[in-house]
Amino acid sequence: MGAFIAKMLLPTISSLVFVPAASVAAKRGFHMEAMVYFFTMFFTAIYHACDGPGLSILCFMKYDILEYFSVYGTAISMWVTLLALGDFDEPKRSSLTMFGVLTAAVRIYQDRLGYGIYSGPIGTAVFMITVKWLQKMKEKKGLYPDKSVYTQQVGPGCCFGALALMLRFYFEEWDYAYVHSFYHVSLAMSFILLLPKKNRYAGTGRNAAKLNCYTLCCCTSQPQMKEKARTIWTTPQKPWMRTCGPGLPLHKSRPRTM
């Protein structure tokens, strides 16, 4: 009996592997990706907990809604991970992120069990990354990015991602509890491997962006932002005005017009 209960709880426990993925993403400066991974972990764990014995008290939403957000979070996690790997510039990066978020919501609402829910985001992201990297290679006339990116990130990450999809769509009938748990582990490993080592938009050193309760509540600001805040609302001076001393305007007689 104990082995049966443990087997039923295994998909729920294996969902917690997204916590290390979120931790690694936050440490590397990918705070948005970390929040998406945590979102996926939360709804996936609650969704599988509703299948287990004695855990129905955790089902604070309808089972259908939990299933939807579990699949939706997984698809968005794949999308933002591949966009981070592509290292797109702004505003393209934020625009593509919202494009994936909105289109995935509609697609998964139509069909949350088909191959398209994952093949669509993956295929689109891989196509854009390939086009960008080929353009960079043409400009650089050499390999882009470095060889280590292919051997340490892209290659292993794609292998774990392909393994996860194979387990998800082809081998779950063997033993759902064990196969689906390995699917969670493989998927989390692919996220960790595909994420770049550092987010170049997060800053470095003392200016590095950090995610905590204060920054989430907009309680802190960077020094350069404080300097801008003092001057953003200043009234532009007229050509016929000049300043005398710190901030003291000295008006000259305005030229008369006939």
Side-chain angles (χ1 to χ4, degrees):
M1 185 64 180
F4 175 76
I5 296 177
K7 185 177 179 179
M8 291 293 295
L9 295 178
L10 192 58
T12 303
I13 298 174
S14 63
S15 303
L16 301 179
V17 297
F18 292 106
V19 174
S23 177
V24 171
K27 186 177 181 180
R28 296 179 182 178
F30 293 95
H31 303 307
M32 180 190 67
E33 289 77 4
M35 295 181 69
V36 173
Y37 298 157
F38 186 83
F39 175 90
T40 304
M41 180 277 301
F42 178 79
F43 281 99
T44 302
I46 299 299
Y47 164 67
H48 289 297
C50 291
D51 292 330
L55 296 178
S56 58
I57 191 174
L58 298 177
C59 303
F60 62 97
M61 291 183 178
K62 293 182 179 179
Y63 185 82
D64 186 65
I65 298 177
L66 293 174
E67 182 186 21
Y68 174 84
F69 282 114
S70 174
V71 177
Y72 178 71
T74 303
I76 296 302
S77 298
M78 296 178 181
W79 177 252
V80 297
T81 302
L82 291 173
L83 289 184
L85 175 65
D87 194 23
F88 295 96
D89 295 326
E90 293 289 355
K92 184 182 295 185
R93 179 173 178 265
S94 57
S95 300
L96 289 175
T97 301
M98 288 306 303
F99 172 78
V101 169
L102 297 175
T103 54
V106 178
R107 179 67 182 87
I108 296 173
Y109 184 81
Q110 293 177 338
D111 179 19
R112 67 191 65 173
L113 299 177
Y115 302 102
I117 56 177
Y118 300 140
S119 62
I122 293 175
T124 305
V126 169
F127 174 76
M128 293 188 300
I129 293 173
T130 302
V131 171
K132 178 186 175 181
W133 286 3
L134 288 177
Q135 291 177 348
K136 291 290 186 179
M137 290 180 188
K138 185 178 179 181
E139 297 173 0
K140 188 180 178 182
K141 295 181 179 180
L143 185 64
Y144 180 89
D146 296 335
K147 183 179 179 180
S148 60
V149 176
Y150 292 96
T151 57
Q152 299 178 11
Q153 293 180 233
V154 178
C158 290
C159 289
F160 275 101
L163 175 62
L165 294 178
M166 290 176 62
L167 293 174
R168 169 66 175 81
F169 290 104
Y170 296 104
F171 297 102
E172 280 193 347
E173 295 180 357
W174 290 6
D175 194 321
Y176 177 82
Y178 292 108
V179 173
H180 200 78
S181 299
F182 279 114
Y183 158 71
H184 290 160
V185 175
S186 301
L187 193 61
M189 284 297 301
S190 68
F191 294 158
I192 294 174
L193 291 170
L194 290 174
L195 273 181
K197 302 300 181 182
K198 187 66 179 178
N199 185 5
R200 62 189 177 99
Y201 292 104
T204 56
R206 296 179 60 184
N207 295 326
K210 296 182 180 180
L211 184 65
N212 49 41
C213 295
Y214 294 99
T215 55
L216 285 174
C217 297
C218 303
C219 297
T220 60
S221 59
Q222 297 180 357
Q224 58 268 28
M225 295 302 297
K226 293 181 179 180
E227 189 67 26
K228 291 181 180 179
R230 290 199 295 263
T231 59
I232 191 172
W233 297 113
T234 55
T235 306
Q237 295 182 358
K238 303 295 183 180
W240 45 270
M241 296 174 60
R242 64 182 179 90
T243 57
C244 180
L248 298 177
L250 179 61
H251 296 265
K252 296 179 64 178
S253 58
R254 190 172 183 177
R256 297 181 180 180
T257 58
M258 299 299 295

